[in-house]
C-alpha cells in the first residue's frame, strides 16, 4: 500500500502522473490519497497531516509525501524505515511530527538512480522522477539498502514549532494546523485538560472549554479536544480562522 500527500491540488495532472509512474512499475499496488490540498509549500500543515494519519495504516505501508519548496536544490531525497512503515520524500522536516513519536530504524538518501524514473530527473518534479518510482519499488519488495546510501537519522532536517510550556495554572502553545473547516488546532495535548474546568485565551478572547461543537450556539466560539487529540478552537457552524483572524504559529493559552 502507498499513501500520497502533496500540495499539488486537483486542478493539474501532477498527482495523476505520479500514480501513472507507480502503477507502471507495479499495477497491483493499492494507492490511497491522504490529501493533495495542503496549502502550497506549507510544511507545517504537511507535518501535522502526516503525523495525524500515520497511526491508522497497517505495517509496511509506504507513505509518499511531496511538499517540496526546495525541489532541485541540494536538499536530500530520503526514505525512512519505521516500525510501522516507510516514509519517502524530501529531507525538509516534513516527517518531523511522525519521527517525534516513532523512532527511525534506518534512513537512506535516494542515491541509486537505477530506481528512479530517469537518471536525469526534472529539477522541478522529483515527485514524478524520484519519489514515486522509489515508493513503487520499495512497496514491491526492494530493500532500503538497494535504493540509497544509509545516513544518520540524527542529521535529518527538523521542522521546529514552538513547544508548549507548562506553568502552575496555564499551558502556553501555538496553532500548529488549520483544517478545512477553519478549526485552529493547537500543539497542546488534550490529555492535559481531561477532567478539568478550563478555557482558552486566544487573540484577546476567553473561550470556554467544551466537549462537543453543539455545546454552544451556532456562530459562537468554543474550545475542545478534537479527534486528533489536541486542543482546538472552533466556531459552531462557522470558521474560527476567519472569525478570529488567526494564522499558523499564533499563540494559544489554556487556563484552568
Amino acid at each position: 500500500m502507498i499513501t500520497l500527500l502533496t500540495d499539488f491540488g486537483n486542478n493539474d495532472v501532477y498527482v495523476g502522473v505520479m500514480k501513472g509512474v507507480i502503477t507502471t512499475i507495479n499495477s497491483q499496488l493499492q494507492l490511497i490519497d491522504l490529501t493533495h490540498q495542503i496549502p502550497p509549500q506549507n510544511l507545517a500543515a504537511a507535518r501535522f497531516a502526516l503525523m495525524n494519519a500515520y497511526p491508522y495504516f497497517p505495517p509496511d505501508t509506504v507513505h509518499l509525501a511531496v511538499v517540496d519548496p526546495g525541489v532541485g536544490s541540494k536538499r536530500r531525497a530520503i526514505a525512512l524505515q519505521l516500525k510501522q512503515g516507510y516514509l519517502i520524500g524530501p529531507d525538509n522536516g516534513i516527517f518531523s511530527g511522525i519521527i517525534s513519536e516513532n523512532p527511525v530504524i534506518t534512513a537512506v538518501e535516494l542515491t541509486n538512480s537505477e530506481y528512479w524514473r530517469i537518471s536525469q530527473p526534472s529539477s522541478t518534479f522529483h515527485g514524478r522522477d524520484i519519489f514515486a518510482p522509489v515508493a513503487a519499488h520499495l512497496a514491491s519488495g526492494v530493500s532500503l539498502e538497494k535504493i540509497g546510501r544509509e545516513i544518520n537519522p540524527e542529521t535529518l532536517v527538523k521542522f521546529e514549532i514552538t513547544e508548549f510550556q507548562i506553568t502552575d495554572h496555564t499551558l502556553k502553545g501555538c496553532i500548529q494546523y488549520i483544517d478545512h473547516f477553519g478549526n485552529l488546532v493547537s500543539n497542546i495535548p488534550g490529555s492535559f485538560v481531561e477532567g478539568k474546568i478550563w478555557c482558552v485565551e486566544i487573540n484577546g478572547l476567553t473561550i470556554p472549554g467544551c466537549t462537543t461543537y453543539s455545546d454552544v450556539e451556532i456562530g459562537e466560539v468554543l474550545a475542545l479536544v478534537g479527534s486528533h487529540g489536541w486542543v482546538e478552537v472552533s466556531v459552531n457552524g462557522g470558521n474560527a480562522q476567519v472569525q478570529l483572524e488567526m494564522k499558523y504559529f499564533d499563540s494559544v493559552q489554556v487556563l484552568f
Side-chain angles (χ1 to χ4, degrees), residues 53-66:
Y54 174 80
Y56 300 100
F57 287 86
D60 296 328
T61 298
V62 175
H63 299 280
L64 168 57
V66 187

Side-chain angles (χ1 to χ4, degrees), residues 240-255:
Q241 178 188 19
V242 173
Q243 187 163 324
L244 300 179
E245 299 181 342
M246 304 296 291
K247 60 185 183 299
Y248 279 82
F249 310 125
D250 281 352
S251 297
V252 177
Q253 183 171 238
V254 170
L255 304 177

Side-chain angles (χ1 to χ4, degrees), residues 171 188-198 224-225 231 254 256:
L171 302 170
I188 299 173
S191 57
F192 282 83
V193 302
E194 288 181 0
K196 298 181 175 66
I197 298 173
W198 59 286
L224 47 65
V225 178
V231 170
V254 170
F256 297 102

Side-chain angles (χ1 to χ4, degrees), residues 62-256:
V62 175
H63 299 280
L64 168 57
V66 187
V67 177
D68 196 10
V71 61
S73 69
K74 292 183 179 180
R75 70 96 185 90
R76 296 181 295 191
I78 57 172
L80 311 176
Q81 180 184 7
L82 283 64
K83 181 179 180 180
Q84 195 168 320
Y86 299 86
L87 311 175
I88 293 181
D91 182 20
N92 59 11
I94 193 171
F95 301 123
S96 295
I98 296 177
I99 293 172
S100 69
E101 301 174 345
N102 304 272
V104 176
I105 297 172
T106 305
V108 301
E109 182 177 2
L110 306 181
T111 54
N112 189 350
S113 61
E114 178 183 348
Y115 295 101
W116 301 356
R117 189 181 71 87
I118 50 177
S119 60
Q120 298 295 324
S122 163
S123 61
T124 62
F125 201 177
H126 286 186
R128 177 193 67 193
D129 295 340
I130 298 178
F131 298 129
V134 168
H137 287 298
L138 188 60
S140 301
V142 176
S143 67
L144 276 181
E145 291 74 17
K146 290 184 177 181
I147 63 175
R149 173 180 62 87
E150 187 167 354
I151 57 177
N152 184 347
E154 296 298 321
T155 67
L156 296 173
V157 173
K158 295 179 175 61
F159 184 87
E160 303 288 355
I161 65 171
T162 304
E163 293 187 6
F164 76 96
Q165 300 175 337
I166 305 172
T167 67
D168 289 341
H169 302 289
T170 66
L171 302 170
K172 296 181 179 180
C174 69
I175 296 170
Q176 66 170 330
Y177 185 67
I178 302 172
D179 70 12
H180 169 74
F181 298 99
N183 297 319
L184 307 171
V185 183
S186 79
N187 66 336
I188 299 173
S191 57
F192 282 83
V193 302
E194 288 181 0
K196 298 181 175 66
I197 298 173
W198 59 286
C199 64
V200 165
E201 283 191 352
I202 188 170
N203 204 18
L205 296 176
T206 299
I207 301 164
C210 301
T211 303
T212 69
Y213 300 108
S214 59
D215 285 345
V216 299
E217 299 296 325
I218 295 291
E220 291 187 359
V221 185
L222 71 149
L224 47 65
V225 178
S227 62
H228 38 63
W230 304 92
V231 170
E232 72 173 50
V233 174
S234 307
V235 173
N236 185 12
N239 186 310
Q241 178 188 19
V242 173
Q243 187 163 324
L244 300 179
E245 299 181 342
M246 304 296 291
K247 60 185 183 299
Y248 279 82
F249 310 125
D250 281 352
S251 297
V252 177
Q253 183 171 238
V254 170
L255 304 177
F256 297 102

Side-chain angles (χ1 to χ4, degrees), residues 6-25:
T6 75
D7 58 352
F8 295 165
N10 293 313
N11 290 333
D12 302 301
V13 301
Y14 305 133
V15 173
V17 166
M18 287 175 59
K19 291 181 178 181
V21 170
I22 291 170
T23 54
T24 297
I25 294 169

